[in-house]
């Protein structure tokens, strides 16, 4: 058997343990059962224990003699400090910490702890409160220093904080305090006392350490006394199995019983501690003052500003050092990050730290954040947990006093808004206004709307609000206009989409009072741009063809200026209409802000009156405004012709009004046609429309009277104009038929597309 | 109430999938997997032109005889899929939307947790709680 030299401390300790194990009172042999229990309490892996027993020779002997026992204990100490198990190391390793045993050795430990307290405390620490603190560390303090060399911890300037990692801190902080006191002679005796008491409390919390001392050292890397823990561990052998409260009183009474004077003091301290602890047990999550102070100091190491935030990454690093499993750390984070901002305020940090400490000591994590750990803010949580009125913590540092539920974070917020808008509008779409199409279509359009989201919202509802979209059509029949624009915006949607759209649209529609008419007007134009283009092409071509020649003699300049579709209208006025231009020009200021339809209108007016060539300039102005003009103008003449045809006998006023009503430009041909069909209805609509129209109407009207005069004056001229009108009429009729044909084609196309859509989306109706 | 709720990562592997245990879970896994195709189709259809205001809620992806599948996509291409029992006809679209919103919020909370590595399976208790609240109560 190798000879073994033990220090005094070790000698005492080991003999104590031997006595403890010597249940048979043989004074020679420690009972195997006890020994094995003791070894198990050392928290070493079983193979290490086996190795130890082998090395010490017990397996050889079959029992633990005193020497074997001592050797085994020494080997345990070696193993616990992380050194390889070597027989040679028995004697070579100097200043080895005492082996630690955690479970069930309360009395023994308490007893010899008391012994050590007697031995050391007096010598080193006058403060009575510190009596509780493991004394052996005092002795072994130097040892620890050496051992600390083995520990890879980030050196942190000692004076900064007497604070140590949580699970060690409570026990070690007293040490650090003591050390601090010794070395710096600073020391707050009171603090020490308090801290010491706390240390006692915490030591009892100590969960069986699975990690070895080095591990602990690493965790406490930010604190100076990593050396302390080992020594402490040796003393701290309170069971963490039993509830701390029970152990605490159990331990203390036992220790108290064996008291010396120091003991009594210690017991006093412990009783205080017990009281505090018991009150703590009413609320096991309560953070004591010293704990809080410790946490605050730790917070400072990461974030000097106590009102600031610790970013998530820094907190992650910090808490990862605690060696808790990531899952638990994640759960702790969820509990403690109250405002869900990815950062920790001081309160949140303290709560998290406290939870880590508790978890390390064997407490299970709660499902919800305990009240006492709630950040000291106005708690908007619907769980209605009242924030504890913390005394010292005025740290309403947490910047966000937001309901955790409510606004979790920006991304969710941001995306919540459009969603809400969507949903609002979805809910707003209660019943489409006059829907003439089949429900499926409505649904399809709704789906379309939902899919494209706000895009639809824009074109649809704000249509009225967004005249600019429709290029100048601000005033004139907005309903008409935006109907057209809607169709422009949405390839699929027919008028139904608008009807089934959000309320504003329906409202607008109703405003326009265009019930059937508007709808009719709305219904036709599928993809306005498409037909427009084709139309423009065709119409322009047609018009060009038809009107190029007549236009030539007329006023070429307007035609030149106007875009192809605009051509047709121009020739018309040129063909026949002398100047009602005066009237037109007077109205032009009104017209210009208004839709180009007015231009058409006036054109037709002039046209009909065959006296208003000046309409062309007006047309020009309008047409220059936008593409839509062309089409509308193209439509205008159409309209005019049509209206002229059937309504020759009618007063030009009515014709004018009809034209005026045919405001919408967008798919001019189609709406125009519609309007033509429903002139009569449109007329009353027009009358509702507005003063401008009235004005516009008035203008032509005023020009009308001039006609009779001119007629009266120049019958021949009139007859010539009639002839021209008739020619224009035929041309326009042809154009009309062609456009009708196109319309039919497009409608068919649209229907087929819709059918396809239905097939692709069978689930459109919900 | 939902019968199955799944969170799919951007790379189309599941981060979280949970179904009412009484039923065949594998079936739901398969359903969610097939719904991914529909999600892709919807996303690609809309996304090109309107990348800024793409609708997050995708709506009903496809119905089967037993249940309906709803989809939702976040801006980071994380997909949420909810499978609802067809017999539960009273579920309005708004309710589905609110379920997705809650899911998204609690998913964001999970993301904010520095201990959560994006791409890991979601093991948050809070998230589980939210999901449980949304699942069918029976079974």
């Amino acid at each position: 058997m190798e000879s073994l030299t033990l220090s005094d401390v070790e000698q005492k300790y080991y003999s104590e343990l031997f006595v403890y194990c010597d249940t048979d009172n043989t004074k020679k042999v420690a009972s195997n059962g006890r020994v094995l229990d003791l070894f198990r309490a050392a928290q070493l892996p079983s193979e290490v224990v086996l190795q130890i027993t082998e090395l010490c020779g017990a397996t050889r002997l079959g029992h633990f003699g005193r020497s074997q026992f001592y050797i085994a204990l020494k080997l345990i100490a070696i193993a616990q400090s992380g050194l390889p198990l070597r027989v040679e190391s028995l004697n070579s390793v100097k200043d080895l910490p005492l082996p630690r045993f955690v479970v069930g050795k309360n009395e023994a430990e308490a007893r010899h702890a008391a012994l050590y307290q007697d031995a050391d405390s007096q010598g080193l620490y006058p403060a009575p409160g510190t009596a509780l603190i493991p004394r052996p560390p005092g002795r072994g303090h130097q040892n620890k220093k050496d051992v600390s060399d083995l520990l890879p911890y980030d050196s942190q300037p000692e004076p900064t904080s007497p604070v140590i990692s949580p699970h060690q801190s409570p026990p070690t902080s007293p040490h650090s305090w003591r050390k601090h006191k010794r070395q710096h002679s600073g020391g707050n005796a009171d603090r020490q006392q308090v801290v010491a008491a706390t240390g006692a409390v915490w030591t009892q919390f100590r969960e069986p350490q699975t990690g070895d001392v080095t591990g602990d050292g690493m965790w406490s890397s930010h604190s100076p006394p990593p050396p302390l823990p080992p020594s402490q561990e040796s003393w701290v052998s309170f069971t963490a199995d039993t509830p701390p409260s029970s152990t605490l009183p159990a331990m203390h009474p036992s220790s108290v019983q064996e008291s010396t004077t120091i003991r009594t003091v210690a017991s006093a301290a412990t009783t205080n501690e017990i009281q505090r602890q018991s009150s703590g047990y009413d609320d096991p999550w309560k953070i004591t003052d010293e704990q809080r102070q410790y946490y605050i100091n730790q917070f400072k190491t990461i974030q000097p500003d106590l009102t600031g935030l610790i970013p998530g990454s820094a907190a992650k690093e910090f808490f990862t050092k605690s060696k808790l499993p990531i899952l638990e750390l994640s759960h702790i984070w969820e509990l403690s990050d109250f405002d869900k901002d990815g950062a920790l305020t001081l309160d949140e940090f303290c709560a998290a730290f406290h939870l880590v400490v508790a978890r390390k000591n064997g407490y299970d994590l709660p499902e919800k954040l305990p009240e006492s750990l709630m950040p000291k803010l106005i708690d908007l949580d619907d769980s209605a947990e009242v924030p504890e009125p913390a005394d010292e913590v005025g740290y309403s540092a947490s910047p966000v006093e937001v309901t955790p539920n409510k606004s979790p974070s920006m991304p969710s917020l941001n995306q919540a808004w459009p969603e809400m808008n969507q949903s609002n509008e979805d809910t707003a779409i209660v019943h489409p206004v006059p829907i003439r199409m089949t429900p499926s279509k409505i649904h399809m359009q709704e789906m379309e709307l939902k899919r494209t989201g706000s895009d639809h919202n824009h074109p649809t509802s704000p249509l009225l609000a967004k005249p600019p979209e429709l290029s100048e059509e601000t005033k004139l029949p907005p309903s008409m206009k935006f109907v057209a624009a809607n169709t422009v915006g949405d390839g699929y949607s027919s008028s139904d989409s608008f009807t089934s759209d959000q309320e504003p649209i329906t409202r607008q529609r109703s405003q326009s009072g265009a019930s059937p008419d508007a709808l009719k007007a709305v219904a036709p134009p599928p993809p306005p741009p498409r037909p427009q283009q084709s139309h423009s092409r065709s119409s322009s071509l047609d018009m060009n063809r038809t009107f190029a020649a007549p236009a030539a003699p007329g006023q070429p300049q307007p035609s030149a200026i106007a875009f192809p579709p605009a051509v047709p209208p121009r020739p018309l006025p040129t063909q026949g209409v002398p100047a009602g231009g005066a009237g037109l020009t007077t109205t032009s200021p009104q017209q210009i802000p208004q839709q180009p339809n007015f231009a058409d209108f006036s054109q037709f007016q002039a046209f009909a009156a065959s006296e208003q060539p000046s309409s062309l300039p007006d047309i020009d102005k309008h047409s220059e405004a936008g593409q839509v003009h062309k089409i509308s103008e193209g439509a205008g003449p159409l309209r005019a012709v049509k209206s002229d045809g059937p309504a020759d006998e009618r007063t030009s006023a009515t014709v004018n009004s009809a034209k005026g009503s045919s405001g919408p430009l967008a798919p001019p041909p189609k709406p125009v046609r519609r309007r033509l069909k429903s002139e009569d209805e449109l007329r009353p609509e027009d009358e509702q429309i507005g003063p401008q129209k009235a004005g516009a109407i008035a203008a032509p009207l005023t020009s009308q009277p001039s006609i009779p005069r001119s007629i009266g004056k120049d019958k021949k001229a009139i007859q010539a104009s009639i002839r021209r009108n008739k020619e224009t009429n035929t041309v326009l009729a042809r154009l009309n038929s062609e456009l009708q044909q196109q319309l039919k084609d497009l409608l068919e196309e649209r229907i087929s597309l819709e059918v396809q859509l239905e097939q692709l989306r069978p689930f459109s109706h919900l | 109430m939902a019968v199955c709720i799944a969170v799919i990562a951007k790379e189309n592997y599941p981060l979280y999938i949970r179904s009412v245990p009484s039923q065949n879970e594998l079936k739901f896994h398969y359903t969610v997997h097939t719904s991914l195709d529909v999600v892709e189709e919807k996303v690609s259809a809309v996304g090109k032109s309107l990348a800024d205001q793409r609708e997050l809620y995708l709506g009903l992806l496809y119905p089967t005889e037993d249940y309906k599948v709803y989809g939702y996509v976040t801006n980071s291409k994380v997909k949420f899929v909810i499978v609802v029992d067809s017999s539960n006809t009273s579920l309005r679209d708004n309710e589905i939307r609110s379920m997705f919103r809650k899911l998204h919020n609690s998913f964001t909370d999970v993301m904010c947790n520095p201990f959560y590595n994006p791409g890991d399976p979601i093991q948050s208790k809070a998230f589980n709680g939210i999901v449980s609240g949304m699942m069918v109560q029976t079974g």
Side-chain angles (χ1 to χ4, degrees), chain A residues 412-471:
Chain A
S412 55
L413 253 184
N414 289 340
Q415 61 91 17
W417 292 122
E419 271 186 289
M420 281 163 48
N421 290 341
Q422 285 296 320
S423 57
N424 286 347
E425 281 160 0
D426 288 343
T427 51
I429 305 174
V430 177
H431 51 89
V433 166
I435 302 170
R436 291 158 321 115
M437 304 287 235
T438 62
S440 63
K441 279 198 179 173
I442 296 166
H443 284 298
M444 278 167 48
Q445 280 138 13
E446 274 184 350
M447 292 297 297
E448 171 103 59
L449 286 170
K450 284 177 205 168
R451 227 165 47 89
T452 54
S454 53
D455 293 331
H456 269 286
N457 300 345
H458 291 314
T460 52
S461 58
L463 268 187
L464 290 193
K466 285 191 185 179
E469 282 187 30
L470 303 185
S471 54

Side-chain angles (χ1 to χ4, degrees), chain A residues 579-594:
Chain A
L584 278 179
T585 45
T586 55
T587 59
S588 60
Q590 294 171 354
Q591 290 163 2
I592 289 171
Q594 294 163 0

Side-chain angles (χ1 to χ4, degrees), chain A residues 162-165 167-178 195 199 203 220 223 225-226 228-230 232-233:
Chain A
V163 189
I164 312 175
S165 63
H167 67 257
Q168 297 174 338
S169 70
T172 56
S173 54
H175 290 288
S176 58
W177 278 113
R178 271 177 277 118
V195 176
T203 52
S220 63
S223 61
L228 293 179
Q232 211 161 16
E233 260 85 77

Side-chain angles (χ1 to χ4, degrees), chain A residues 565-644:
Chain A
V567 173
R570 272 183 230 109
L572 295 176
T574 58
Q575 281 180 3
V577 188
L584 278 179
T585 45
T586 55
T587 59
S588 60
Q590 294 171 354
Q591 290 163 2
I592 289 171
Q594 294 163 0
Q595 313 157 8
N597 293 337
F598 252 97
D600 298 338
F601 176 84
S602 54
Q603 285 176 27
F604 298 145
Q605 179 55 49
F607 179 45
S610 67
E611 281 185 5
Q612 293 151 9
S614 59
S615 61
L616 281 179
D618 297 326
I619 298 166
D620 292 341
K621 292 173 209 158
H622 294 291
S623 58
E624 278 161 6
Q627 289 263 340
V628 187
H629 284 277
K630 324 179 219 177
I631 300 166
S632 59
E633 286 173 348
L638 233 188
R639 255 181 294 132
V641 174
K642 276 252 161 196
S643 56
D644 280 347

Side-chain angles (χ1 to χ4, degrees), chain A residues 254-273:
Chain A
S254 66
S255 52
V256 169
Q257 284 146 19
E258 320 216 5
S259 62
T260 62
T261 54
I262 297 174
R263 267 285 176 172
T264 52
V265 176
S267 63
T270 49
T271 47
N272 293 341
E273 194 49 45

Side-chain angles (χ1 to χ4, degrees), chain A residues 330 334 409 412 415 427 455, chain B residues 50 72 94 104-105 108 113 124:
Chain A
S330 174
E334 277 180 5
S409 53
S412 55
Q415 61 91 17
T427 51
D455 293 331
Chain B
L50 325 157
Y72 180 97
N94 268 347
H104 196 169
N105 286 348
T108 316
N113 190 333
S124 147

